[in-house]
Amino acid sequence: MEDLVADPGCLDEIAREPPSSDADHDRGQPESEISGSFDPDVYLINEFNPNLEGISSYADFIAKLAEATLDSQVEPLPQHLLWNLQTAPDSVLEEPGPEEKLSIDLFLATSSASEATYNRVRDAVLFHRPADEILTLYKVKQLVSDLSGVVPIARDACINTCMAFTGPFSSLVQCSYCGEPRHRPESNETPNNQFFTFPLGPQLQALWRSPAHAKHMKYRTQRTRRTMRELDENNGKRTSPYIDFFDGSDYLDAVRNGNIKDDDVVIMLSLDGAQLYRNKSSDCWMYIWIVLDLPPDMRYKKAHVIPGKFTLRT
């Protein structure tokens, strides 16, 4: 069996080292230099080396966020997304027709394949059913975007995912950490890597455009009113069991203070990363939104979880 090599930097190793002798202290050596001793305060003082350039970058990002606008020309948003954010749709979403549904089914069935695969499948269907109007890939993507509110915003990133070329770094041509170029050698416009963000606003708008789904979105408000009524009738005491987040005091206090209103949407952020392949260097970082206004039996299911962002390294 291969011998296990201890991590020289772990605290467990430090704890097992023998204590220093009194003679070491008599020689006036600092505790951080005495073999076998460890003083956390001295260690932190000696090892802490703040990166002033990094702190400056954080300040630059904060300043960029403070002056950010939807119609910024530095990193402009897609025009249809900008229009949806500035002019929220207030009409009921029309039910897709049979041919639109078939187009969506073909698109979802080939979502992990290439554009050419979708086109070949579409051509095969039209060959046998020439009267059908199967949407092109561009049009079916637009339809799916309108129905779901999922609109991707692509921004360049380091091929090693060290950093994103956004905000104060939007004009850089290479990574500040590993030095890898932003663009592929054969092209000055094709990025080596990108990350994708899906704005929350249009996806929340889409949840209210179906009468059935809008009814589900009222779950939190209805349960909150019931809880408040129970507390008022029992001098602030609960008689029913605690079953969801809206039974917690932090949430109820926010409602009483007017920080959360009936027309607001309460969401939860979840972040994670994963290695996509067992024997291949491939990492993915993502975050998602959970819509807490929906009933518990709906909000955690994939169909109702809202994508926020993902970065892929292959």
Side-chain angles (χ1 to χ4, degrees):
M1 180 181 295
E2 183 181 355
D3 293 336
L4 296 178
V5 179
D7 180 0
C10 71
L11 293 178
D12 189 46
E13 281 296 299
I14 295 171
R16 290 201 299 268
E17 291 178 355
S20 59
S21 65
D22 293 337
D24 291 328
H25 292 281
D26 293 338
R27 286 194 294 267
Q29 291 176 275
E31 285 193 356
S32 60
E33 297 177 5
I34 299 174
S35 175
S37 65
F38 176 73
D39 185 335
D41 294 331
V42 174
Y43 176 80
L44 291 175
I45 293 173
N46 291 342
E47 294 297 323
F48 179 65
N49 182 21
N51 187 336
L52 296 181
E53 183 178 352
I55 296 175
S56 177
S57 297
Y58 300 151
D60 290 341
F61 268 104
I62 293 173
K64 290 290 185 182
L65 288 171
E67 62 187 25
T69 59
L70 288 177
D71 55 357
S72 171
Q73 297 304 308
V74 178
E75 296 179 86
L77 296 174
Q79 284 300 313
H80 62 285
L81 170 61
L82 182 60
W83 187 88
N84 281 342
L85 289 172
Q86 294 177 332
T87 310
D90 55 3
S91 60
V92 176
L93 202 59
E94 295 184 5
E95 183 76 12
E99 293 172 344
E100 290 179 327
K101 289 182 178 179
L102 176 57
S103 300
I104 293 174
D105 289 340
L106 293 179
F107 170 70
L108 295 177
T110 60
S111 59
S112 59
S114 63
E115 178 178 348
T117 300
Y118 176 86
N119 291 333
R120 286 196 296 268
V121 174
R122 177 175 179 269
D123 292 341
V125 174
L126 291 176
F127 178 79
H128 294 281
R129 301 169 61 176
D132 289 350
E133 295 183 4
I134 308 300
L135 299 179
T136 63
L137 183 60
Y138 173 80
K139 289 186 177 180
V140 75
K141 283 183 175 181
Q142 288 297 112
L143 176 60
V144 170
S145 177
D146 292 339
L147 292 173
S148 64
V150 177
V151 182
I153 299 176
R155 293 289 184 258
D156 296 351
C158 170
I159 193 172
N160 295 318
T161 63
C162 303
M163 60 176 290
F165 296 102
T166 184
F169 304 148
S170 59
S171 61
L172 297 181
V173 296
Q174 68 180 40
C175 178
S176 300
Y177 297 91
C178 68
E180 287 288 342
R182 175 174 180 170
H183 301 100
R184 296 180 182 178
E186 66 274 12
S187 171
N188 290 328
E189 296 182 357
T190 305
N192 272 319
N193 190 19
Q194 287 189 316
F195 71 96
F196 295 87
T197 305
F198 306 93
L200 182 61
Q203 298 184 75
L204 293 180
Q205 292 171 359
L207 296 178
W208 292 97
R209 298 188 65 189
S210 162
H213 215 290
K215 183 178 180 181
H216 292 309
M217 289 290 288
K218 290 292 185 180
Y219 174 80
R220 175 190 63 83
T221 299
Q222 294 170 353
R223 293 305 302 248
T224 301
R225 290 176 179 173
R226 186 184 306 177
T227 300
M228 290 296 194
R229 186 165 56 250
E230 178 185 344
L231 292 173
D232 292 340
E233 293 173 353
N234 294 279
N235 297 321
K237 296 181 179 180
R238 292 292 303 272
T239 57
S240 59
Y242 290 73
I243 62 172
D244 211 335
F245 78 95
F246 42 67
D247 292 315
S249 59
D250 287 345
Y251 168 77
L252 294 175
D253 289 342
V255 173
R256 290 191 186 95
N257 297 334
N259 295 327
I260 298 179
K261 303 178 177 62
D262 287 352
D263 293 333
D264 291 335
V265 177
V266 180
I267 54 177
M268 177 174 67
L269 177 65
S270 178
L271 305 93
D272 203 354
Q275 182 174 342
L276 301 182
Y277 303 98
R278 178 180 179 181
N279 298 318
K280 180 181 177 183
S281 177
S282 177
D283 299 313
C284 179
W285 292 268
M286 70 205 80
Y287 68 78
I288 58 175
W289 300 104
I290 308 296
V291 182
L292 298 180
D293 289 70
L294 293 172
D297 60 346
M298 293 180 62
R299 70 173 73 132
Y300 300 107
K301 293 185 176 180
K302 183 172 65 173
H304 305 288
V305 171
I306 293 181
K309 173 255 183 186
F310 74 85
T311 302
L312 194 64
R313 181 179 69 178
T314 58

